[in-house]
Amino acid sequence: MPTSNDMQKVLDIQDKNLIFKDDCVTYGVLKGRKVKYIDCTLSYTPAECEKCHAPNNDYSIYK
């Protein structure tokens, strides 16, 4: 099973605040095409959008 560090290396993700769990890869169909979904968790809850500064109400903002 992949670890968070392995997934970050494979995907070349520089953000250390993303946590990948085991079985984080699932497959599905989007707009008639096969896709791969990679699920991860942000290690903190942002208070607002970094770009537009919109407040994070009911988890409306995610990275």
Side-chain angles (χ1 to χ4, degrees), residues 27-37:
Y27 299 92
V29 177
L30 180 66
K31 297 182 181 178
R33 299 185 70 166
K34 292 180 182 179
V35 295
K36 186 183 300 182
Y37 294 103

Side-chain angles (χ1 to χ4, degrees):
M1 293 292 154
T3 64
S4 185
N5 191 37
D6 291 339
M7 288 299 290
Q8 285 179 323
K9 287 180 181 178
V10 168
L11 299 172
D12 195 25
I13 295 175
Q14 306 300 315
D15 191 341
K16 300 297 181 190
N17 296 312
L18 296 176
I19 300 168
F20 297 88
K21 296 180 182 177
D22 291 343
D23 300 325
C24 62
V25 179
T26 57
Y27 299 92
V29 177
L30 180 66
K31 297 182 181 178
R33 299 185 70 166
K34 292 180 182 179
V35 295
K36 186 183 300 182
Y37 294 103
I38 302 172
D39 190 30
C40 63
T41 304
L42 189 59
S43 63
Y44 67 94
T45 303
E48 64 181 13
C49 176
E50 293 178 1
K51 302 270 184 198
C52 69
H53 304 288
N56 186 7
N57 297 328
D58 297 322
Y59 300 101
S60 60
I61 303 294
Y62 55 90
K63 192 166 185 179

